[in-house]
Amino acid sequence: MPYKKIVVGIDGSDTSLAALEYAARLAAVEGAEIVGVYAHGISDEAAVAQAASEVITRAEEAVTGLDVSFTAKSSPGDPAEVLIDSIEDPATELLVVGNKGMTGVSRFLLGSVPNKVSHHSPCDLLIVRTT
């Protein structure tokens, strides 16, 4: 069964863009749409707009030429919680995140986005090796 809607966590980092590129290549084969989700903890409206604009622009550049439908949104809050909220839409069939933060002892102490979403995702989850 092909995926039709894929959500990807984006934060503007090279690792998140690598995960997005992987998801875009999968989406091109599957005929799926991609939704990039940027979570921010910024309270200053001007700073949020600037940061979101930069992250979304980098994400759009990463999927240019891959012939996929891409939209992006930004939401305030903890990245893992924002991603989980974003995939509660029954139309979402796959969540893609990079593996950054999943190595070493710190993943047990601090928790990482991939680790957190792996325990709470209501849809399929793909953790892309980006590091």
Side-chain angles (χ1 to χ4, degrees):
M1 175 170 68
Y3 294 113
K4 293 297 176 198
K5 183 176 180 184
I6 301 172
V7 170
V8 183
I10 57 173
D11 64 8
S13 68
D14 290 341
T15 57
S16 78
L17 296 176
L20 173 60
E21 212 172 305
Y22 191 98
R25 292 182 190 283
L26 177 62
V29 171
E30 298 278 324
E33 70 172 297
I34 299 176
V35 178
V37 176
Y38 168 59
H40 59 83
I42 306 168
S43 59
D44 176 12
E45 291 288 328
V48 167
Q50 179 66 29
S53 175
E54 290 173 10
V55 168
I56 291 168
T57 297
R58 285 198 72 198
E60 289 170 341
E61 290 169 354
V63 298
T64 297
L66 295 178
D67 195 30
V68 294
S69 170
F70 176 77
T71 57
K73 65 178 186 173
S74 67
S75 298
D78 172 74
E81 291 176 19
V82 168
L83 285 171
I84 295 298
D85 289 346
S86 296
I87 59 177
E88 288 186 352
D89 172 7
T92 302
E93 299 164 312
L94 178 66
L95 171 62
V96 177
V97 294
N99 72 324
K100 184 177 180 182
M102 290 198 64
T103 60
V105 175
S106 65
R107 77 177 180 266
F108 299 111
L109 300 175
L110 304 174
S112 65
V113 171
N115 189 30
K116 288 179 185 176
V117 298
S118 71
H119 295 285
H120 303 287
S121 179
C123 66
D124 290 349
L125 171 66
L126 174 61
I127 300 174
V128 178
R129 183 168 201 77
T130 59
T131 56

